[in-house]
Amino acid sequence: MISRDHPRYHSLIQREMITEAWRKGILADSGMIAHGRGEAFDYLLGERTTEPAARAIRAAAAALLLAKNPVISVNGNTAALVPGAVVELADAIGGKIEINLFHRTEKRVRLIEEVLLENGAREVLGTDELLYIDDIKSPRATASPDGIYSADVVLVPLEDGDRTEILRKSGKTVITIDLNPLSRTSRKASISITDNIVRAIPALIEAVRELEDLSRDELELIVEEFDNPENIRETLKLIDLRRYNPEL
Ligand code: ATP
Ligand code: MG
């Protein structure tokens, strides 16, 4: 039992969720390593949604509301930490959910599908037939025909850099959630949310509810005004400033 007033309470709870998912086979070994890398960046950012992250979340919500076929990609870490929130976000944007795994095994796909269905998902894509995006014959380029393959906007938390690049090159708007502002994924995405998925997905749901009554013109303006490279620079500046004042 982790005591609620422990200063690292949230972080310890996430570790428990991650190791539990690993024990069940939902998460590959490398998923635990990825989580550790995320924790380090979360510490540097102060373990809260920073101002640049909040701006990226607002732009992402607008892009998701404008999308014709928005799809949320789910991997082991996402299924371990925020399965219910992912389903809620998909409902809020009228979007689809697709399982997409770096270390894909049939067993892990079934286990993640089960978790999502238990959390109220009506449909889970990426479980059977997959096509190659732009005919790139690589395991990094596979996608479900009705899902990411034909999507115009994709939300890919904790995505790999190569895959992000393939998705961008195929003309999709790529929104990523990745705590590392310097990762290839963050630098290649259209909108990079440098925040922990446990905070970013609920914040996205809230932003979607706030913006859903805006006109298309107003939503387009929010997306156009967002400058991703500049936003990443702001995040890095914040990490740097915290060395003088950790309370920032
Ligand atoms: P690149 O994009 O440069 O290829 P990578 O794919 O090799 O990087 P990984 O460690 O495989 O990097 O990917 C995991 C990424 O997910 C890391 O950048 C890490 O910071 C991030 N991450 C881990 N846990 C979380 C989390 N809970 N929320 C948000 N991001 C996270
Ligand atoms: Mg990588």
Side-chain angles (χ1 to χ4, degrees):
M1 226 350 230
I2 301 163
S3 150
R4 262 202 159 273
D5 49 20
H6 190 288
R8 314 253 358 104
Y9 174 77
H10 292 290
S11 171
L12 293 172
I13 290 288
Q14 285 167 49
R15 279 194 178 183
E16 269 199 353
M17 293 170 92
I18 287 287
T19 47
E20 175 69 10
W22 175 79
R23 267 194 294 274
K24 287 184 182 155
I26 291 168
L27 203 68
D29 298 358
S30 61
M32 287 205 286
I33 297 170
H35 183 78
R37 185 182 284 181
E39 276 187 345
F41 283 103
D42 209 5
Y43 223 114
L44 290 171
L45 289 159
E47 296 174 315
R48 41 74 213 238
T49 301
T50 62
E51 265 175 50
R55 279 199 292 274
I57 287 167
R58 190 173 151 83
L64 288 167
L65 285 166
L66 284 165
K68 280 194 211 66
N69 185 17
V71 179
I72 305 173
S73 174
V74 173
N75 69 357
N77 294 65
T78 308
L81 294 172
V82 280
V86 161
V87 173
E88 203 183 321
L89 178 62
D91 286 345
I93 59 171
K96 295 171 184 156
I97 297 175
E98 173 165 340
I99 298 174
N100 159 42
L101 304 179
F102 197 92
H103 299 280
R104 189 182 175 93
T105 65
E106 274 320 301
K107 183 170 171 248
R108 193 165 297 121
V109 170
R110 293 301 147 208
L111 285 169
I112 294 176
E113 183 184 22
E114 221 173 90
V115 169
L116 291 167
L117 293 173
E118 275 167 15
N119 277 275
R122 279 184 299 271
E123 190 188 16
V124 179
L125 301 172
T127 56
D128 40 37
E129 195 208 354
L130 298 177
L131 300 176
Y132 288 110
I133 296 167
D134 293 342
D135 216 25
I136 301 168
K137 299 279 188 301
S138 149
R140 305 264 51 80
T142 56
S144 165
D146 295 331
I148 291 175
Y149 187 83
S150 53
D152 51 347
V153 181
V154 286
L155 172 62
V156 288
L158 281 74
E159 188 53 271
D160 157 77
D162 294 326
R163 187 169 167 88
T164 307
E165 196 168 8
I166 292 167
L167 294 170
R168 268 315 288 280
K169 277 204 177 126
S170 75
K172 300 177 198 303
T173 297
V174 179
I175 303 164
T176 185
I177 302 172
D178 185 335
L179 277 160
N180 178 0
L182 291 170
S183 75
R184 288 183 308 140
T185 304
S186 293
R187 285 183 283 118
K188 297 239 157 73
S190 323
I191 301 173
S192 310
I193 302 171
T194 311
D195 197 4
N196 196 323
I197 35 168
V198 305
R199 295 185 300 268
I201 304 263
L204 263 171
I205 296 168
E206 210 177 294
V208 164
R209 302 230 157 99
E210 237 169 68
L211 302 181
E212 65 192 349
D213 295 327
L214 294 188
S215 69
R216 290 191 71 84
D217 282 354
E218 287 169 310
L219 291 172
E220 273 161 16
L221 194 65
I222 293 174
V223 176
E224 275 163 30
E225 280 177 352
F226 180 75
D227 180 340
N228 205 48
E230 175 57 24
N231 210 54
I232 291 173
R233 280 193 290 276
E234 290 285 323
T235 304
L236 292 168
K237 203 156 63 182
L238 197 70
I239 293 176
D240 185 43
L241 286 174
R242 275 170 51 81
R243 96 187 128 111
Y244 306 106
N245 180 6
E247 302 305 318
L248 261 180

